[in-house]
Amino acid sequence: MRGEAGHLEAPPPSDNSGKMAVLGSVRLRLWGPAPALSQSLRAFSTTPGAAAAASAEQLAEKLRAQKREEQKPEEPKNPVLRRVRELSQLSKQLQRVHPNVLAKALKRRILYQNEELVVIDKPYGLPVHGGPGIQNCITDVLPILAKMLDGMKAEPLHLCHRLDKETTGVMVLAWDKDTAHRIQCLFKTRQVEKKYWTISVGLPVPSEGLVDIPIVEKQVQSHQSHYKMTLAPNYRVSPENGKMVKVRRNRDAHSAVTRYRVLASSPSCSFLELQPITGVKHQLRVHLAYGLGCPILGDHKYAHWNKLAPQKLPENALKRLGLEQTKVRHLPLHLHAHQLTLPTGTSGDKQLHLVCRPPHFFTNALKRLKLEIPEALEK
């Protein structure tokens, strides 16, 4: 029978069987355990399984963390390599970020702004136009940047010119198509004065001069067939008498003229100011590499003609940069659009000077190579 608590009660012991009382007592404990004992039983039945699950989860997380550490590239001890890797990671991040994030980054790099123009400091590794494998480019985020600057009803900004993906520095945008067209005409008619800073491997001779050699695009026949810009000179040296001989002009060649001057030099590298008079694709890189025999530091494309390979640096340059030749492939192109001078006003009698300091990796290389920026140019 059941008692008030709902437990089975033991029957009264009989006169001839003390064992029934014991049995009844046992039966009481089996069917109606005390609360403390119930908690102990529950704890005993659940703790081992929960502990095993927790232990398995911890082990899985530990293995995942170990795998992440193994996949994580080793942090370079050399500060130059560290900075180069940071730059490479930044370039990749610019390709992966949301367009809004990229537009905010460009907004922070504005050098000058008025009712007609917006001038930005173009970062390294960011292409101006889209193409195969390119997720983000400056052109794609111009509508977003315009809205950030002038409200949601703002029309997209317009490109006035272009810079190569690896080139940093001054880049001009226009608020409307008419202004963009006017600035583009100034570039085409060579009314815009452009000055670039670069570090070259070697010392140009003479230290100041003008390179006037046409440029053409050609296919390079090698184990990796590819295209490069190269020189198409109008003259060649006669092997018979050593005199200059005029050659037939290449119909596909473009006139290309570059002024240059050495600002500082060291035994293996030079700091140059370049002034392109024309605007041919890769003009500065080709004129330095093939015209003067002094390729731009980090220009792996034009370091060789017949192959695609990392630039070969002199021992002195490697030592000063703290690099091994096997790591040179990570060096970025050291070419910076330092200054643009635009004619302004109704008659073009005024000038707008736009100046941009070089990025950290550029100034760091100057410092390591013992190349100093002249005081007159630092202002």
Side-chain angles (χ1 to χ4, degrees):
M1 56 183 171
R2 297 184 178 275
E4 294 180 359
H7 298 300
L8 189 64
E9 292 182 350
S14 60
D15 296 337
N16 59 356
S17 181
K19 295 181 181 180
M20 287 299 295
V22 177
L23 182 60
S25 178
V26 171
R27 191 169 57 191
L28 252 175
R29 289 174 186 155
L30 287 174
W31 287 91
L37 181 59
S38 299
Q39 293 176 3
S40 299
L41 288 172
R42 283 196 300 269
F44 177 79
S45 63
T46 59
T47 299
S55 178
E57 179 62 30
Q58 290 172 359
L59 179 60
E61 180 58 35
K62 185 177 180 180
L63 291 173
R64 285 193 291 265
Q66 185 177 350
K67 188 174 182 180
R68 286 194 297 267
E69 285 297 319
E70 290 175 354
Q71 293 177 344
K72 185 178 179 181
E74 186 179 353
E75 184 72 18
K77 296 179 181 179
N78 186 299
V80 177
L81 286 180
R82 258 200 318 269
R83 181 58 188 163
V84 167
R85 200 178 93 177
E86 289 171 5
L87 193 64
S88 175
Q89 290 174 342
L90 174 61
S91 300
K92 292 176 182 177
Q93 287 169 2
L94 290 175
Q95 287 296 303
R96 292 195 299 263
V97 298
H98 190 278
N100 287 359
V101 177
L102 180 56
K104 286 181 181 179
L106 294 180
K107 181 182 177 182
R108 290 193 294 268
R109 301 177 76 95
I110 290 178
L111 302 170
Y112 175 83
Q113 181 181 352
N114 63 14
E115 66 279 0
E116 290 186 322
L117 304 174
V118 175
V119 183
I120 63 171
D121 172 13
K122 179 192 167 299
Y124 177 86
L126 180 64
V128 175
H129 298 286
I134 295 177
Q135 297 179 2
N136 276 330
C137 65
I138 291 178
T139 307
D140 290 343
V141 299
L142 291 183
I144 304 173
L145 179 60
K147 287 179 172 58
M148 288 181 177
L149 296 174
D150 199 38
M152 294 304 294
K153 294 183 179 181
E155 293 294 322
L157 288 159
H158 301 270
L159 290 172
C160 296
H161 63 118
R162 67 182 297 277
L163 293 175
D164 290 341
K165 175 183 174 181
E166 296 86 3
T167 304
T168 59
V170 179
M171 186 165 194
V172 182
L173 310 172
W175 278 111
D176 57 72
K177 288 184 179 179
D178 292 339
T179 302
H181 180 70
R182 177 167 57 83
I183 300 299
Q184 289 165 3
C185 288
L186 292 176
F187 275 93
K188 289 179 181 178
T189 55
R190 304 175 186 177
Q191 297 183 60
V192 178
E193 185 181 84
K194 299 168 284 185
K195 291 184 179 180
Y196 288 72
W197 281 359
T198 189
I199 300 175
S200 70
V201 180
L203 175 64
V205 177
S207 60
E208 185 172 351
L210 182 140
V211 181
D212 184 359
I213 307 176
I215 292 176
V216 67
E217 187 171 31
K218 286 187 177 181
Q219 185 176 10
V220 180
Q221 300 294 342
S222 66
H223 66 287
Q224 285 182 290
S225 184
H226 57 284
Y227 286 86
K228 283 184 181 178
M229 306 301 289
T230 189
L231 301 177
N234 294 324
Y235 296 87
R236 65 177 177 84
V237 178
S238 172
E240 288 81 15
N241 53 24
K243 292 183 179 181
M244 299 293 290
V245 180
K246 189 173 178 63
V247 298
R248 174 183 280 185
R249 182 182 178 275
N250 189 318
R251 290 182 301 175
D252 297 323
H254 301 276
S255 174
V257 183
T258 303
R259 285 197 183 100
Y260 73 91
R261 66 176 177 132
V262 177
L263 302 177
S265 63
S266 67
S268 58
C269 295
S270 303
F271 176 38
L272 309 179
E273 180 184 82
L274 307 176
Q275 188 176 347
I277 308 303
T278 55
V280 180
K281 177 183 176 182
H282 295 174
Q283 173 181 318
L284 300 178
R285 298 165 68 178
V286 173
H287 274 173
L288 261 68
Y290 303 148
L292 296 172
C294 299
I296 295 174
L297 181 66
D299 192 354
H300 309 291
K301 183 179 182 70
Y302 292 102
H304 314 276
W305 166 251
N306 60 350
K307 61 181 179 179
L308 294 172
Q311 188 175 43
K312 179 75 174 178
L313 292 184
E315 286 296 328
N316 184 272
L318 290 172
K319 184 177 180 180
R320 291 195 174 188
L321 289 171
L323 289 175
E324 298 176 1
Q325 180 59 44
T326 55
K327 303 296 183 182
V328 169
R329 67 183 184 276
H330 299 297
L331 270 181
L333 182 73
H334 287 65
L335 180 61
H336 176 69
H338 172 61
Q339 180 180 317
L340 281 182
T341 303
L342 296 170
T344 59
T346 54
S347 59
D349 54 338
K350 297 180 181 180
Q351 291 185 326
L352 176 63
H353 296 280
L354 304 166
V355 180
C356 177
R357 289 191 59 80
H360 178 71
F361 76 85
F362 193 107
T363 55
N364 188 49
L366 286 176
K367 183 178 179 181
R368 284 182 163 269
L369 293 167
K370 308 296 182 184
L371 299 170
E372 294 186 1
I373 301 175
E375 291 185 7
L377 298 177
E378 284 192 305
K379 297 179 181 179

